[in-house]
Amino acid sequence: MISKRVFFLLVMSWAFGAHAQPVKQQIKKLVDTYADLGKFNGSILVAAQGKILLNRGYGYKDIKHKTRNDPQTIYQIASLTKSFTATLILKLVELNRLSLTDKVSQFYPNFPKGDSISIAQLLSHTSGLSDNDSINKTKTYQGSDEAQFLAALKDRALDFSPGTDWKYSNAGYILLGYISEHVSGMSYYDAVRTYLFSPLQLDHSGFDFIGLASLDKATGYWEFPESDTAQAATLIDYSAPRAAGAIYSTIGDLYKWHQGLQTDKLLSPPLLNRAYTPVKSNYGYGWIIDSVAKAKVVWHSGDIWGFKSELARIPADDICIIMLNNIEAVDLHIITRKILAILYHQAYQQPARTRIQLSPGLLKEYVGSYQLRPGEWIKVSLEGNRLKATTSRKQEMYAQKKDHFLLDDGREHLGIFFNRNSSGLVTDLSFTVGERKVVCPKKE
């Protein structure tokens, strides 16, 4: 008897074989649209069951020199590095150099509460180790020197008792990098090259992006580069994020990375399954865990000045989506979700567009802060001729008519309405979630 999973794979295989062209066309049309809107500027690779469905670059690699992005363009991948660091740690576990239950105190005897923080907790962001405010704001770390980094950590209180909660911690992954040096006998960078890069021939990946001399190297921008006066983002040296975000790579190398994980070339299946199993807040060991059509999605994103990245994989169906962008003001996960919808024949929407262009004077009337709930605000700002809404992330608002805009969250378009008083002044914005209308008063 054919199992349900095998039957599903057979159906998927038939779909990609018999209807590959429509799927490829839908994915290309989707990404083309995002690129045309200035919401994608980089390289993308989409593959399913070993077949490449899309592999190309969009927009400018360097607008001043008018060079274009292509599949060979090299980008900083930022926190995608965490999947590499986690795999390195698990490889050292497999080699019996380390145990997931080992405590930080075994490597740093005087570390505060080090006997309560395990390797597994560092991997899953459940250690309680804090990234202080200055780190979060600048995305820089005093991590180029181990002693200095440890001193900074010791001066910082834990956010919670280890294992009791979840909070994303770059510091925890930097610490994992240092621990890997103690047990491997080599630098973190050499260990990654030895155990991960070399076996998979990731020849276009490395760490020192600033020092990289290559015509394929991308220039990072804050926003979509519309002219040669676009400001390049300040580059962050790899010694700052270290094991939390130091790697640069290409979509081709990251596809080899996916293939290496698929074939168990790097790790045994039991350890990979541990990595793909959520601990808290849908985070495993270096991967965020989600699902689509009852299939497990493992993914991670990256964000560093001038660059955004995302890698999403469905190991059971051998599906891989890789996006590397040399602009920071994009939301790649929206595109990931829509590509997955195409691959699994689910409903999705093309990105919202500006149907009309409102006058600058009218757009300025919407600018301000709107209270979402006590202590939380939606900040509406005007950048050029584009209206942006910022909560935990910034999104463009697409004008449909006066006082009516759309936001695109990846699954559906959310209608935003600005309301006015009898004098014509904007007093609040409102939107509907399900059957509930949410009204957000404008700060006076």
Side-chain angles (χ1 to χ4, degrees):
M1 179 178 288
I2 298 177
S3 69
K4 290 183 179 179
R5 194 66 189 161
V6 171
F7 177 75
F8 176 74
L9 288 172
L10 288 172
V11 171
M12 288 291 290
S13 178
W14 175 83
F16 287 118
H19 299 288
Q21 196 60 32
V23 167
K24 290 172 68 171
Q25 289 175 350
Q26 287 182 68
I27 294 172
K28 183 178 182 300
K29 180 181 178 182
L30 178 73
V31 181
D32 286 352
T33 303
Y34 274 101
D36 290 343
L37 291 170
K39 289 178 166 293
F40 190 91
N41 191 88
S43 302
I44 179 171
L45 186 148
V46 181
Q49 285 96 53
K51 295 182 175 65
I52 303 295
L53 304 178
L54 183 64
N55 182 25
R56 61 165 296 182
Y58 290 83
Y60 286 104
K61 176 168 56 182
D62 185 323
I63 195 167
K64 285 187 178 180
H65 295 94
K66 298 297 186 289
T67 54
R68 309 284 297 187
N69 285 317
D70 58 36
Q72 288 72 48
T73 304
I74 302 170
Y75 306 82
Q76 288 185 283
I77 68 169
S79 283
L80 271 186
T81 299
K82 290 182 174 67
S83 70
F84 285 83
T85 299
T87 305
L88 171 64
I89 294 296
L90 292 174
K91 185 65 180 179
L92 295 172
V93 169
E94 189 173 70
L95 294 172
N96 295 316
R97 310 276 186 86
L98 195 61
S99 170
L100 290 172
T101 57
D102 284 347
K103 300 297 193 291
V104 169
S105 58
Q106 293 175 232
F107 309 97
Y108 308 106
N110 298 319
F111 196 92
K113 296 190 177 181
D115 57 349
S116 301
I117 302 172
S118 69
I119 297 298
Q121 290 166 348
L122 293 174
L123 286 168
S124 59
H125 298 297
T126 57
S127 68
L129 288 183
S130 175
D131 292 336
N132 67 19
D133 289 341
S134 62
I135 281 177
N136 288 333
K137 288 177 182 176
T138 64
K139 298 181 188 173
T140 60
Y141 301 84
Q142 299 301 319
S144 58
D145 176 80
E146 184 179 14
Q148 187 180 21
F149 174 74
L150 289 170
L153 272 187
K154 290 176 181 178
D155 290 339
R156 213 177 299 158
L158 294 179
D159 287 327
F160 50 83
S161 295
T164 64
D165 205 346
W166 186 93
K167 187 175 182 181
Y168 194 82
S169 174
N170 287 301
Y173 266 75
I174 293 173
L175 186 59
L176 283 169
Y178 282 123
I179 290 173
S180 75
E181 296 181 347
H182 286 263
V183 299
S184 70
M186 62 184 81
S187 73
Y188 163 77
Y189 310 107
D190 285 341
V192 171
R193 292 185 185 101
T194 299
Y195 291 113
L196 307 181
F197 287 179
S198 293
L200 301 179
Q201 297 182 315
L202 306 189
D203 300 329
H204 306 287
S205 301
F207 303 95
D208 185 6
F209 190 73
I210 291 178
L212 178 65
S214 171
L215 295 176
D216 291 320
K217 177 179 174 179
T219 298
Y221 299 97
W222 301 111
E223 295 184 334
F224 185 80
E226 297 183 288
S227 70
D228 58 12
T229 61
Q231 181 184 3
T234 303
L235 291 178
I236 295 176
D237 189 77
Y238 74 101
S239 63
R242 295 183 64 94
I247 293 176
Y248 65 74
S249 194
T250 65
I251 56 174
D253 271 13
L254 290 178
Y255 186 51
K256 289 181 182 179
W257 172 239
H258 162 75
Q259 291 174 310
L261 293 169
Q262 286 295 107
T263 57
D264 306 327
K265 191 172 184 178
L266 298 175
L267 281 178
S268 63
L271 280 173
L272 276 175
N273 288 335
R274 290 286 296 273
Y276 302 157
T277 301
V279 178
K280 284 183 182 291
S281 296
N282 293 325
Y283 202 97
Y285 297 161
W287 297 98
I288 302 166
I289 319 302
D290 203 346
S291 65
V292 60
K294 297 184 179 181
K296 179 181 287 186
V297 182
V298 297
W299 68 282
H300 213 293
S301 59
D303 179 0
I304 198 167
W305 289 354
F307 295 89
K308 277 276 182 74
S309 60
E310 182 149 314
L311 169 61
R313 305 172 49 238
I314 300 182
D317 296 334
D318 190 19
I319 286 174
C320 180
I321 301 168
I322 305 162
M323 289 181 285
L324 303 179
N325 264 229
N326 56 323
I327 54 174
E328 195 175 356
V330 291
D331 189 337
L332 298 180
H333 197 55
I334 285 178
I335 304 175
T336 293
R337 282 156 53 172
K338 292 185 178 184
I339 292 174
L340 288 173
I342 292 171
L343 291 172
Y344 285 87
H345 308 289
Q346 297 180 334
Y348 70 97
Q349 291 179 313
Q350 285 290 329
R353 297 169 174 268
T354 301
R355 298 295 198 279
I356 62 171
Q357 180 59 57
L358 300 178
S359 69
L362 180 56
L363 290 173
K364 287 179 182 178
E365 295 180 18
Y366 306 120
V367 172
S369 295
Y370 299 78
Q371 188 172 37
L372 180 59
R373 57 179 65 91
E376 291 187 44
W377 298 82
I378 300 171
K379 182 181 179 182
V380 177
S381 58
L382 184 60
E383 300 179 11
N385 61 357
R386 298 177 179 177
L387 204 65
K388 305 287 182 73
T390 303
T391 49
S392 58
R393 59 191 174 110
K394 184 185 290 186
Q395 293 179 274
E396 185 169 354
M397 306 174 73
Y398 298 92
Q400 306 303 293
K401 60 182 180 180
K402 179 182 177 181
D403 298 344
H404 179 202
F405 292 77
L406 288 181
L407 282 176
D408 181 5
D409 75 348
R411 290 194 175 96
E412 61 184 359
H413 298 161
L414 180 67
I416 305 292
F417 297 88
F418 290 91
N419 305 300
R420 299 173 181 270
N421 60 19
S422 58
S423 300
L425 299 176
V426 174
T427 57
D428 59 73
L429 67 78
S430 62
F431 55 90
T432 300
V433 179
E435 297 181 355
R436 182 170 67 94
K437 183 177 181 179
V438 180
V439 178
C440 304
K442 187 177 182 182
K443 185 176 182 181
E444 295 182 0

